DNA sequence: CCAAAAGTGTTCTCGGTACACCCATGT
DNA sequence: ACATGGGTGTACCGAGAACACTTTTGG
């Protein structure tokens, strides 16, 4: 665990950056990863038992999509991940003055100063699919940790972030029924059994092996490579996306 | 045709309202209507041969959804229409200083003053489905007219509004394949042949009558009412949504 | 009684579902 | 050799697609 900034520094930083960003607009990124049969989400720890989604603001010189990509890059050091804008959270209840004030007080800020990030935000929701093995998660300035969590056993989350994650998962599932995008969670080379398990983890239910394989071949986007070596039992083929 | 406001009044109005809205966020509404086999979109006329989408800004006291509903109400005097948020247009190219300056100059404004609406906007795209017969379209303060246009024969459009309409149509079509929402374009009571033609207009292609009817019944959301009276040939049943 | 619209039925195909069968490999 | 995992094949079912048949009405 890394020691976060103190309140004074944080307040300075926010003040200095205010004019660079579009006000009232934020980006929330639900970064999905996968490991050993488990669908996971990347979260930032804000206090002992509370976590939050990675997210950020939009520079006046960049598009909203670019802001999401940049934000993800800052968290896991990966560029050009699969990214999809899936919802907008624009309720008036997304005014978190009080909650954020409490959070800042915890850092030692007296709360007397109104910061621009305490305004109401319209948040653009994105979900990303990444190969966890290629990531280097790191906390931001005010987080204690940055870690992967099982999607089906989420910890206590800040504000409405639980709703945002669940809606991202729902969108991901819907998309996955018509597109084989699940492969983005694996490395470039993968086997059908691996991909099969990814799909089962996302949908959280069993799916017939045979049918799955036929469906994947039906998309005609996977190229069969050599067989996997040195494993017990019959050796599965490797596949990769592309042609 | 109604005479629009002059430039001075307009500038005053915009200045006065600035602090009420969330800056940099706008809402674009693609309002779909239907009449006699034609899918239509409501547009506002900004000059002799240029049209634009209805749209507006978000009050600090309302949600983005509410802003869209209010905006649509202001244009066609209908509340609680079917409404769906389908995309976000967040490119940096959505900074229309020059184009809007020209537009204002046309109204007589010298363009020396920078107005807040000339900033870059992140636009939240909504599409609405309405029963055209229940609408009373009216232009806003700077439009010459407000009228329905065939979706497949669009006039010259402002900025990136054509792209926004086409993407709305694509979303509507996708949604229509899994939901019978097309009925929102008709009056409360409608016949299957009418609904059938709505679907054909939206998809812009023929669809077998028999299959269509079976699919609609499959949703089990339409209630069969009395037969339509006083028409030639066999009289079709009326249906309505609900139970 | 006939043309045209509306409602319903028949057939074919294809993709989802379940399951069976065969292949290959390390223990 | 055999248990286990991996690849492929078969039979069934339901939805989509194309088309045929029947009913009903005004002229």
């Amino acid at each position: 665990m890394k020691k976060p900034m103190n309140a004074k520094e944080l307040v300075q930083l926010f003040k200095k950056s205010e004019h660079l960003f579009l006000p009232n607009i934020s980006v929330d990124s639900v970064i999905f990863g996968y490991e050993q049969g488990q669908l996971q989400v990347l979260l930032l720890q804000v206090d002992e038992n509370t976590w939050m989604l990675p997210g950020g603001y939009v520079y006046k010189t960049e598009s909203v999509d670019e802001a999401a990509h940049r934000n993800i890059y800052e968290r896991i050091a990966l560029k050009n991940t699969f990214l999809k804008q899936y919802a907008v959270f624009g309720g008036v209840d997304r005014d978190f003055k009080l909650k954020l004030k409490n959070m800042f007080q915890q850092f030692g800020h007296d709360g007397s100063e109104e910061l621009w990030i305490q305004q109401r935000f319209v948040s653009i929701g994105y979900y990303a699919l990444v190969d966890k093995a290629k990531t280097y998660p790191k906390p931001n300035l005010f987080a204690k940790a940055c870690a992967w969590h099982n999607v089906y056993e989420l910890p206590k989350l800040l504000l409405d972030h639980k709703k945002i994650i669940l809606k991202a998962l729902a969108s991901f599932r819907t998309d996955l029924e018509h597109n084989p995008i699940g492969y983005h969670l694996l490395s470039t080379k993968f086997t059908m059994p691996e991909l099969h398990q990814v799909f089962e983890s996302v949908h959280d239910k069993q799916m017939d092996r045979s049918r799955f394989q036929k469906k994947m071949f039906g998309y005609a986007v996977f190229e069969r490579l050599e067989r996997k070596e040195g494993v017990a039992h019959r050796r599965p083929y490797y596949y990769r996306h592309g042609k």
Side-chain angles (χ1 to χ4, degrees), chain A:
Chain A
M1 289 228 193
K2 164 183 171 300
K3 180 154 170 45
M5 277 185 139
N6 70 45
K8 204 160 215 162
E9 288 171 324
L10 254 173
V11 170
Q12 288 301 339
L13 195 77
F14 276 122
K15 281 189 168 174
K16 215 171 64 183
S17 56
E18 173 168 9
H19 71 284
L20 299 172
F21 294 112
L22 293 180
N24 302 289
I25 297 176
S26 63
V27 165
D28 279 314
S29 305
V30 180
I31 308 176
F32 287 112
Y34 169 86
E35 191 168 355
Q36 303 196 85
Q38 224 182 61
L39 182 65
Q40 303 176 329
V41 190
L42 192 74
L43 297 175
L44 290 160
Q45 188 175 25
V46 288
D47 71 32
E48 198 53 52
N49 50 17
T50 311
W51 297 72
M52 69 178 289
L53 279 174
Y57 309 103
V58 183
Y59 282 120
K60 289 178 178 173
T61 55
E62 70 185 351
S63 71
V64 181
D65 283 0
E66 284 161 0
H69 273 297
R70 175 178 52 77
N71 205 262
I72 288 167
Y73 178 76
E74 288 168 1
R75 285 288 70 66
I76 58 174
L78 244 189
K79 286 184 202 280
N80 299 319
T81 62
F82 175 90
L83 188 64
K84 173 145 183 185
Q85 192 269 302
Y86 71 96
V88 172
F89 301 92
V92 272
D93 56 330
R94 300 199 89 261
D95 181 342
F96 303 123
K97 277 193 178 53
L98 260 173
K99 293 201 177 180
L100 285 172
K101 190 176 247 177
N102 292 341
M103 184 173 142
F104 272 90
Q105 277 172 345
Q106 205 177 298
F107 282 108
H109 183 53
D110 63 7
S112 59
E113 279 182 292
E114 182 96 331
L115 290 172
W116 62 276
I117 62 155
Q118 287 173 264
Q119 300 166 338
R120 169 189 169 192
F121 276 96
V122 171
S123 180
I124 319 286
Y126 285 85
Y127 77 81
L129 306 180
V130 306
D131 173 9
K132 208 183 133 176
K134 293 201 184 78
T135 67
Y136 299 92
K138 76 162 186 245
N140 61 14
L141 295 171
F142 47 90
K144 290 181 169 126
C146 181
W148 296 97
H149 287 255
N150 187 333
V151 180
Y152 305 110
E153 292 165 16
L154 292 171
K156 191 181 151 220
L157 285 156
L158 202 68
L159 316 173
D160 56 350
H161 288 193
K162 181 152 194 168
K163 193 182 86 183
I164 294 176
I165 294 174
L166 293 180
K167 190 151 184 180
L169 178 58
S171 296
F172 181 19
R173 282 178 177 172
T174 306
D175 296 342
L176 198 57
E177 275 168 33
H178 306 287
N179 294 340
I181 49 173
Y183 73 86
H184 283 111
L185 293 170
L186 296 170
S187 68
T188 332
K189 273 168 63 178
F190 53 87
T191 67
M192 277 298 149
E194 282 167 357
L195 191 60
H196 180 220
Q197 218 189 350
V198 166
F199 274 62
E200 291 196 334
S201 304
V202 175
H203 285 119
D204 199 26
K205 68 173 182 199
Q206 305 267 114
M207 186 184 189
D208 184 79
R209 272 191 315 124
S210 163
R211 175 159 51 97
F212 174 78
Q213 203 126 331
K214 273 180 269 183
K215 185 167 180 170
M216 289 306 114
F217 293 158
Y219 289 125
V221 292
F222 296 123
E223 182 185 0
R224 179 177 282 187
L225 307 172
E226 78 284 0
R227 295 189 108 111
K228 187 171 177 175
E229 298 289 335
V231 288
H233 319 299
R234 186 173 183 172
R235 296 173 304 177
Y237 292 105
Y238 275 121
Y239 291 86
R240 75 163 171 218
H241 182 262
K243 189 50 177 305

